[in-house]
Amino acid sequence: MNLYLFNTMSGKKELFEPINANDIKLYVCGPTTYQIPHIGNFRTFIVFDTLVRLLQSIYSKVTYVRNVTNIDDKIIIEAQKHEISIENLTHNVYVKFRDECNQLNLLTPDHEPHATDYISQMIEHIEEMIKNKYAYVSDEEVLFDTSKCSKYLALAPHERLDFGNRVEINKNKKNFADFVLWKKTTKPNWQSPWGHGRPGWHIECTTMSKNLLSFPFDIHGGGQDLIFPHHTNERAQCYALHNIECAKYWMHNHFITIDKSKMSKSIGNVMYLSNLTKKYSAMSIKLAILMTHYRHPLNWKNEKIQEAQNIYDKWIRIKSKYHSNALKIDIENEKSKFEVISSVYEALLDDLNTSLAVQCLHRAIQNCKNEYQWQKIENSLSLLGIKLEAPSHKIDEKAVKKLIEKRDEARKIKDFATADSIRKQLKLMNIEIDDTKDGTKWKVKC
RNA sequence: GGCCGAAUGGCAGAGUGGUUAUGCAGAGGACUGCAAAUCCUUGUAUGUCGGUUCGAUUCCGGUUUCGGCCUCCA
């Protein structure tokens, strides 16, 4: 069983060979909790959720870390805007974020470190970098000296470091690409050897990954836009501390676009899960995202979610067939609980080809003959983190049954006008009915 | 400007040097009082110009268009 992953570092699909097969270590850059993440942000978390599930199916232990950046300029601005404390803002956003993760059936990471819990370790690391001559202190900040890192642009070889005309030049910097490790500020502030201030963005991830996973770890993931400068700088910082690569494999997902423009808060073309779930189920939104390969752009359209919703609804209907005993067979042992559709698995092992995996699922579902095979299909779906569950609504069952009885009576005396009007009434209650040989069945519309 | 990526049927989207996936939508049929669902049948595609090849959607080169990164970013 070989897992191939596209490594940004080499620009190629590579055979995944773990550093230690007894404990696979994965770090994914998580949300900055100034605003609830939009669906584009969630693409990353959905993609790496699938990766973690796949890794868990192969290896006995997977340590998954996804951080929470809870200190950042944007957070400070947002808190001021709403006249609330930074702690309140970041906590509120984090709670909502976790709720949306649950709706999307995302695994809870083994560690979800909050940046503010690691300030003292960040300070230690910055001190060490200064000692190793990779960092220097200016009037305003502590800066990282990128010229000391010979392979600084290894992850992003196409970047150029001579575009000074595009950005305001910071006179304190020795090199244009140098970045901030510690910024001297009064609000919010932590004490440090360089005075009051707060850490730079890049050191946060380095410190958290070092503390929870140690270097080097297996996989570092995130959105494509983090390649430069964030991940480039994380690499550089690890070199400054240990003179090694921090991660063996770097994985980056492409963006969600709307009208071909990247979905981003700065453009303002964002979609939020809470809006989408008013019309579509969270699972079908997840399915819609997994129907495109993670390294390809995903242009968001309502038609696309509707398609996923149609597919998901159909799967729910098919599932109910296998729970009706009609096709039940004896399952010999517990084995089928762990078996998956091999074509689905192979697709996932090939650089997480979730799109192909869904297509293989269509075929498997089409050919499914018995409950044993259905179990394999559900196992395969769970590799994608997709649960087949009809949404639960508060329904007055008695009222529904009464209406259906009334309709059946009308049908018996061929009063179809009354029968149809009752059906309309039920439809308004979000109830779908189905006239079968065994009588009228009803269910809540997905 | 530098670099990178993409281009496939109505839509979405994989794979593949030769038999042209798959899904959604559409059309026709079966079933049904009518629906819904289900089943059967069905059409349409590889941006453009060259090259390599017996054969290219696939490999190579040019070109066009779109998008991304270039210290806000998933």
Side-chain angles (χ1 to χ4, degrees):
Chain A
M1 187 182 324
N2 289 331
L3 168 63
Y4 287 86
L5 297 173
F6 185 91
N7 190 349
T8 307
M9 186 59 94
S10 64
K12 288 176 191 156
K13 258 190 230 178
E14 292 178 16
L15 176 66
F16 177 68
E17 292 175 304
I19 294 166
N20 172 7
N22 296 320
D23 188 5
I24 309 301
K25 294 177 176 181
L26 173 80
Y27 187 94
V28 175
C29 287
T32 301
T33 46
Y34 70 111
Q35 277 175 15
I36 191 78
H38 55 73
I39 199 69
N41 300 129
F42 272 110
R43 185 181 191 188
T44 301
F45 309 139
I46 288 171
V47 163
F48 287 99
D49 180 75
T50 305
L51 178 63
V52 171
R53 289 171 191 269
L54 183 64
L55 289 168
Q56 284 176 339
S57 77
I58 306 171
Y59 300 100
S60 55
K61 188 181 176 200
V62 177
T63 305
Y64 172 30
V65 180
R66 187 186 61 206
N67 72 291
V68 174
T69 301
N70 62 350
I71 184 65
D72 173 88
D73 282 346
K74 282 182 178 168
I75 293 173
I76 299 162
I77 294 164
E78 191 76 11
Q80 281 171 348
K81 204 167 107 187
H82 296 284
E83 295 179 341
I84 56 171
S85 71
I86 287 169
E87 292 74 19
N88 263 344
L89 172 70
T90 55
H91 179 73
N92 292 345
V93 172
Y94 174 69
V95 169
K96 280 185 199 155
F97 166 66
R98 284 305 304 272
D99 175 56
E100 297 201 343
C101 286
N102 290 336
Q103 288 181 49
L104 288 166
N105 191 32
L106 296 178
L107 297 165
T108 304
D110 298 283
H111 302 280
E112 219 175 0
H114 288 57
T116 49
D117 294 334
Y118 288 82
I119 302 288
S120 61
Q121 290 96 321
M122 290 177 204
I123 291 169
E124 282 168 27
H125 290 157
I126 296 169
E127 283 183 309
E128 207 172 327
M129 287 181 204
I130 294 171
K131 201 179 90 194
N132 295 348
K133 307 239 185 317
Y134 273 89
Y136 56 96
V137 184
S138 79
D139 294 341
E140 314 277 324
E141 60 261 294
V142 181
L143 288 154
F144 187 96
D145 186 347
T146 50
S147 69
K148 294 284 164 60
C149 190
S150 59
K151 297 177 195 164
Y152 177 62
L153 284 180
L155 195 60
H158 53 278
E159 299 297 344
R160 291 164 24 150
L161 300 177
D162 58 349
F163 40 78
N165 57 334
R166 280 182 58 101
V167 181
E168 199 183 331
I169 293 168
N170 179 338
K171 283 177 189 165
N172 297 323
K173 287 184 182 178
K174 286 186 185 173
N175 312 287
F176 183 73
D178 291 357
F179 56 90
V180 173
L181 293 168
W182 188 266
K183 194 172 183 175
K184 296 176 187 174
T185 58
T186 50
K187 254 187 178 182
N189 73 83
W190 285 271
Q191 284 206 332
S192 82
W194 318 285
H196 293 251
R198 59 187 159 83
W201 175 36
H202 313 298
I203 189 67
E204 298 180 11
C205 282
T206 295
T207 294
M208 291 186 273
S209 57
K210 177 176 154 65
N211 273 267
L212 292 164
L213 297 174
S214 77
F215 299 135
F217 52 90
D218 293 288
I219 302 169
H220 195 315
Q224 227 181 31
D225 48 0
L226 295 186
I227 296 172
F228 188 86
H230 186 51
H231 290 168
T232 295
N233 290 348
E234 277 187 57
R235 269 190 73 249
Q237 289 170 147
C238 182
Y239 265 93
L241 292 170
H242 300 292
N243 203 30
I244 52 168
E245 290 287 339
C246 60
K248 192 172 176 189
Y249 301 90
W250 291 86
M251 291 177 68
H252 296 95
N253 60 285
H254 213 299
F255 310 118
I256 288 183
T257 57
I258 287 191
D259 295 330
K260 294 187 176 174
S261 300
K262 179 181 165 185
M263 185 187 285
S264 78
K265 285 171 184 167
S266 50
I267 297 173
N269 57 349
V270 291
M271 305 283 289
Y272 292 98
L273 186 72
S274 55
N275 281 331
L276 293 166
T277 50
K278 284 176 187 163
K279 195 168 175 198
Y280 308 99
S281 68
M283 278 300 103
S284 60
I285 292 162
K286 187 174 190 180
L287 181 62
I289 286 174
L290 291 174
M291 276 162 62
T292 301
H293 190 265
Y294 78 94
R295 283 193 288 113
H296 287 205
L298 193 166
N299 199 34
W300 195 258
K301 286 182 189 172
N302 283 347
E303 290 90 332
K304 193 174 291 190
I305 328 173
Q306 187 59 58
E307 182 184 340
Q309 182 77 60
N310 290 351
I311 292 167
Y312 186 73
D313 291 352
K314 189 164 129 186
W315 288 352
I316 296 259
R317 285 194 297 270
I318 295 171
K319 174 181 169 153
S320 65
K321 197 167 89 180
Y322 290 100
H323 284 218
S324 66
N325 286 331
L327 293 149
K328 214 164 196 164
I329 60 159
D330 286 334
I331 295 171
E332 287 176 21
N333 47 40
E334 295 283 294
K335 209 177 147 196
S336 70
K337 281 192 176 172
F338 306 104
E339 280 184 27
V340 293
I341 306 293
S342 57
S343 59
V344 175
Y345 205 50
E346 277 164 26
L348 294 177
L349 289 171
D350 182 14
D351 192 31
L352 226 56
N353 193 339
T354 52
S355 175
L356 185 59
V358 170
Q359 291 158 22
C360 294
L361 271 163
H362 282 302
R363 216 177 300 193
I365 289 170
Q366 186 78 18
N367 296 330
C368 184
K369 296 280 189 300
N370 54 47
E371 191 161 330
Y372 169 75
Q373 287 173 344
W374 183 256
Q375 183 66 51
K376 279 172 74 168
I377 286 163
E378 285 211 35
N379 293 347
S380 308
L381 277 166
S382 74
L383 266 182
L384 295 170
I386 293 194
K387 283 191 294 193
L388 294 184
E389 277 176 7
S392 57
H393 292 283
K394 281 181 184 169
I395 296 290
D396 185 349
E397 286 195 26
K398 275 188 186 169
V400 171
K401 279 181 184 164
K402 237 181 190 173
L403 280 168
I404 288 176
E405 274 172 28
K406 225 171 143 185
R407 178 172 170 274
D408 282 340
E409 279 167 25
R411 288 175 72 223
K412 266 181 203 163
I413 57 166
K414 304 212 177 203
D415 177 6
F416 296 124
T418 305
D420 288 350
S421 90
I422 293 173
R423 175 159 48 201
K424 265 188 194 168
Q425 201 180 334
L426 286 162
K427 202 175 174 184
L428 289 173
M429 294 161 70
N430 220 25
I431 303 291
E432 275 188 350
I433 52 170
D434 182 12
D435 296 325
T436 72
K437 283 175 189 171
D438 307 323
T440 303
K441 289 182 176 168
W442 68 277
K443 63 173 183 188
V444 182
K445 193 173 175 284
C446 293

